[in-house]
Amino acid sequence: MNSGIQLQAPKMPLLLKKSGDLIETSFKILFLCCAMAGVISVSTIGWFVFSEGLPALKEAGVISFVLGKEWLPPALYGILPMIIASLISTTGAIIIGVPIAIFTAIFLAELAPKWLANLVRPAVELLAGIPSVVYGFFGLVIIVPGIEAIFDIPAGNTLLAGIIVLAIMILPTIITISETSLRALPSVYKEGALALGASHIYTIFNVLVPAAKSGILTGVILGVARAIGETMAIIMVMGNAPAMPGSLLEPARTLTANIAMEMSYATGIHSSALYATGIVLLAFIVLLNGSLLYLNRKKAY
Amino acid sequence: MPKFTQSISMLTRKRKDRLLYCAIWGSAGITILFLLWVVWHILANGLSHVSWEFITGAYTRIGEISGIWAMIVSTVYMVLLSLTFAAPIGIMTAIYLTEYASPVSKVVRVIRFCTESLAGIPSIVYGLFGMTFFVTQLGLGFSILSGALTLAMLILPVIIRTTEEALMSVPMSYREGGYALGCSKIYIIWRLILPSALPGIVNSIILSTGRVVGESAPVFLTAGMVTQIPESVMDSGRTLTVHLYKLTQELFTQNEWDQAYATATILIVLVLMLNLATKLIATKLNK
């Protein structure tokens, strides 16, 4: 984002006194040390998650850990049901949330009158700031009973409830980033298309959206990351059964929920297995961030 | 192109346009409706149960009025302490990145990459790490301190990025003017750059306050869920979000429902206030 701008202050003239030089250098070193805090944090977390997770992976075997269908600590550690639940809930949230979010972003950037956009934008920001437990609570009191009533099942704590809650939660991320990238387009794109006689809608979907594609995709990827990482709202509405979900109307447990539910009492190899769950979670995030890097590299050239 | 086919294609084009037009307005409507629904539902059910006794009362499992004062105190402790750790480090990192390091240097790339990775780690992994490292290995136990250290790592990227943007928006001429007058670099940073970037820096602190208030998974794994008012940072404490989570696990009596709604109401009001504060600063910035 910032790499293109050279914002370094000009080099100091040679007139400095020695004592001033010392102070300058010590401040520079202080700032550099602080800047290393982030590096240290990431490496400590990464090292910890891997070294704590390895014993479980060794004991159970990577293949049977990732592809195992039974989670029965301390006997069996298979997290395939959780991987599937995480993937399904995220995919579902994307299918519902992404179109709504992109259309809302187009609305804010192109169609809405200024006064309306100025009302909707803070509302979207508010949506982003609401804590995830509040979404979970809302899901618990509205969506879960709603699913019980509509599908006539005894318990509404299902994969579907999780999908709906996640779809609401990823809206603000995608809307904000897509709107920003739509607004950042040079105005000649739009003017050119309109001058050629294209309609406003045609211009939006055939000129502006393709031009802002990488920004919109960035928003979607960050939305996916939020959905994969979400924990509490999911625990509150999805039922948390560590079994393979047979349909959208069955309870399920995601990778994040697996960690949060059992961490407080797990010991030994069980705790290590939760760290290994964290490794799998991180693998997903690395995959997402890798695709983000790829996108941004394409944008830079 | 013959006139006839042209008018046909114009017609379908128009119909398609109208359809997409409806989809856009409809989607925006859905977004707003969901927001209004969530906020209205919680405020409508919760506002009437928010009272002075509820806010300042002690938490009891069986009492008629069960307050949340201890959770408010824990939340405030958590915010203050994690900001004490993260804000100075984050701000100084941003100063290093914008004022000292060359943007293309290897060090900067490594720092940027790590900060971005830090921002991408799911919060539950922070909880996992914090629980083993701070709680167990460093022997801090389930305490506000363990929680605050964990959350400080979590909000560090937010502070760095927002402060960096604030520093970048300070005009180059400020620095040039300072150097022309023979000021030292640290003097220029302290007296010229930081004061003019202050609204942006305050903004980054408000943003991370929102993050700390809203987090729950890493908090209950590191700070625990004791409902007493914490006497020191070494005590365990339950923040508002963790409290709401615990309440929803035992929604049996009407009283418990009311408490959950009231707690959610307090949280939404808090978020509203934080949003308002950022808005005020933004208008001040644009002046």
Side-chain angles (χ1 to χ4, degrees):
Chain A
M1 203 192 306
N2 312 325
S3 56
I5 309 157
Q6 180 86 22
L7 246 188
Q8 200 198 6
K11 285 275 173 286
M12 290 293 291
L14 293 167
L15 297 166
L16 268 177
K17 290 183 204 124
K18 269 275 178 262
S19 64
D21 221 9
L22 192 69
I23 295 174
E24 290 293 312
T25 320
S26 44
F27 267 108
K28 184 177 177 176
I29 291 171
L30 172 69
F31 293 145
L32 180 63
C33 288
C34 285
M36 283 300 147
V39 182
I40 296 168
S41 302
V42 166
S43 27
T44 328
I45 293 179
W47 183 77
F48 237 84
V49 171
F50 275 93
S51 64
E52 295 278 321
L54 277 182
L57 287 182
K58 258 186 211 150
E59 173 120 348
V62 179
I63 303 288
S64 59
F65 181 77
V66 175
L67 296 181
K69 288 181 188 151
E70 305 264 353
W71 176 267
L72 287 168
L76 286 165
Y77 298 102
I79 59 163
L80 191 63
M82 286 75 141
I83 295 179
I84 301 280
S86 279
L87 288 180
I88 292 178
S89 58
T90 304
T91 315
I94 293 301
I95 291 173
I96 299 177
V98 166
I100 296 180
I102 293 179
F103 280 147
T104 307
I106 292 173
F107 176 78
L108 284 174
E110 286 295 322
L111 285 187
K114 208 174 171 208
W115 64 270
L116 189 55
N118 286 342
L119 277 178
V120 175
R121 209 171 291 119
V124 172
E125 279 162 27
L126 180 68
L127 210 52
I130 294 177
S132 60
V133 276
V134 175
Y135 283 113
F137 180 57
F138 177 79
L140 198 64
V141 295
I142 297 288
I143 293 166
V144 168
I147 289 175
E148 275 166 30
I150 292 171
F151 296 98
D152 196 24
I153 47 174
N157 300 62
T158 54
L159 205 48
L160 182 63
I163 289 176
I164 296 173
V165 170
L166 283 182
I168 303 175
M169 291 182 77
I170 61 171
L171 286 179
T173 315
I174 307 177
I175 293 174
T176 316
I177 297 171
S178 305
E179 196 212 338
T180 314
S181 59
L182 280 170
R183 281 186 182 277
L185 294 176
S187 60
V188 286
Y189 287 16
K190 191 173 158 187
E191 287 155 9
L194 292 177
L196 287 172
S199 69
H200 194 181
I201 293 283
Y202 186 89
T203 308
I204 290 173
F205 283 96
N206 290 283
V207 180
L208 301 183
V209 169
K213 200 175 76 189
S214 74
I216 293 174
L217 272 174
T218 303
V220 172
I221 290 173
L222 290 177
V224 175
R226 184 164 188 202
I228 285 256
E230 179 47 48
T231 313
M232 299 310 269
I234 287 294
I235 291 182
M236 289 157 86
V237 301
M238 254 170 63
N240 304 312
M244 195 68 83
S247 78
L248 288 184
L249 294 176
E250 279 177 27
R253 179 192 284 198
T254 61
L255 291 167
T256 51
N258 193 37
I259 301 173
M261 304 268 312
E262 301 189 356
M263 190 56 204
S264 39
Y265 60 82
T267 49
I269 212 79
H270 184 188
S271 147
S272 172
L274 296 180
Y275 267 94
T277 313
I279 297 179
V280 175
L281 198 55
L282 284 184
F284 277 116
I285 296 295
V286 167
L287 218 70
L288 286 174
N289 279 357
S291 47
L292 254 187
L293 274 180
Y294 176 72
L295 267 178
N296 289 337
R297 180 177 309 145
K298 272 177 94 177
K299 195 163 55 179
Y301 293 112
Chain B
M1 195 188 286
K3 231 178 182 170
F4 175 69
T5 43
Q6 196 182 359
S7 66
I8 286 285
S9 73
M10 284 292 278
L11 239 173
T12 49
R13 178 85 254 151
K14 248 187 195 148
R15 190 178 286 166
K16 215 172 159 187
D17 275 13
R18 204 168 297 147
L19 213 74
L20 285 169
Y21 198 74
C22 289
I24 293 174
W25 274 86
S27 298
I30 289 173
T31 308
I32 295 308
L33 250 154
F34 262 124
L35 171 84
L36 289 180
W37 194 13
V38 173
V39 173
W40 177 82
H41 179 81
I42 285 168
L43 292 190
N45 287 290
L47 264 183
S48 56
H49 301 288
V50 175
S51 62
W52 192 243
E53 287 79 24
F54 176 72
I55 292 175
T56 59
Y59 177 73
T60 46
R61 288 287 312 260
I62 29 174
E64 260 307 295
I65 299 168
S66 187
I68 52 163
W69 184 242
M71 303 11 145
I72 292 179
V73 172
S74 296
T75 308
V76 171
Y77 269 155
M78 193 64 85
V79 168
L80 291 181
L81 203 59
S82 49
L83 283 176
T84 311
F85 294 127
I89 294 180
I91 292 169
M92 288 199 268
T93 304
I95 292 177
Y96 181 78
L97 289 176
T98 51
E99 307 297 324
Y100 285 93
S102 141
V104 285
S105 80
K106 270 230 167 68
V107 185
V108 173
R109 275 196 201 162
V110 170
I111 294 171
R112 282 247 158 73
F113 177 77
C114 287
T115 320
E116 262 162 43
S117 316
L118 209 57
I121 297 176
S123 64
I124 185 68
V125 175
Y126 281 94
L128 198 60
F129 167 77
M131 188 168 168
T132 312
F133 187 66
F134 296 123
V135 175
T136 314
Q137 295 212 341
L138 292 188
L140 299 175
F142 289 105
S143 60
I144 303 272
L145 184 61
S146 301
L149 283 166
T150 311
L151 288 184
M153 294 168 97
L154 198 144
I155 60 174
L156 197 59
V158 183
I159 297 185
I160 295 175
R161 201 174 302 157
T162 326
T163 308
E164 231 187 310
E165 264 162 40
L167 293 174
M168 298 276 241
S169 66
V170 175
M172 222 33 214
S173 57
Y174 282 37
R175 298 173 179 90
E176 286 156 2
Y179 285 122
L181 290 173
C183 301
S184 68
K185 187 162 194 166
I186 192 70
Y187 184 85
I188 291 169
I189 291 172
W190 185 245
R191 300 301 291 268
L192 292 175
I193 298 174
L194 282 184
S196 48
L198 193 64
I201 296 175
V202 173
N203 210 356
S204 81
I205 290 182
I206 296 175
L207 277 176
S208 30
T209 303
R211 263 320 275 283
V212 174
V213 169
E215 266 325 323
S216 37
V219 178
F220 85 81
L221 285 178
T222 51
M225 4 190 149
V226 171
T227 51
Q228 302 290 313
I229 297 175
E231 279 170 7
S232 78
V233 292
M234 293 308 290
D235 278 356
S236 170
R238 186 192 278 198
T239 60
L240 283 167
T241 43
V242 175
H243 185 54
L244 177 57
Y245 169 66
K246 286 304 280 182
L247 284 175
T248 57
Q249 296 197 315
E250 38 201 50
L251 292 172
F252 301 116
T253 65
Q254 187 59 41
N255 186 21
E256 281 158 350
W257 276 94
D258 294 345
Q259 278 186 53
Y261 272 116
T263 311
T265 302
I266 299 270
L267 277 168
I268 286 197
V269 170
L270 261 174
V271 171
L272 265 173
M273 277 167 25
L274 289 173
N275 269 23
L276 216 64
T278 35
K279 279 274 122 52
L280 286 178
I281 288 169
T283 45
K284 209 177 173 189
L285 258 176
N286 291 333
K287 254 180 204 166

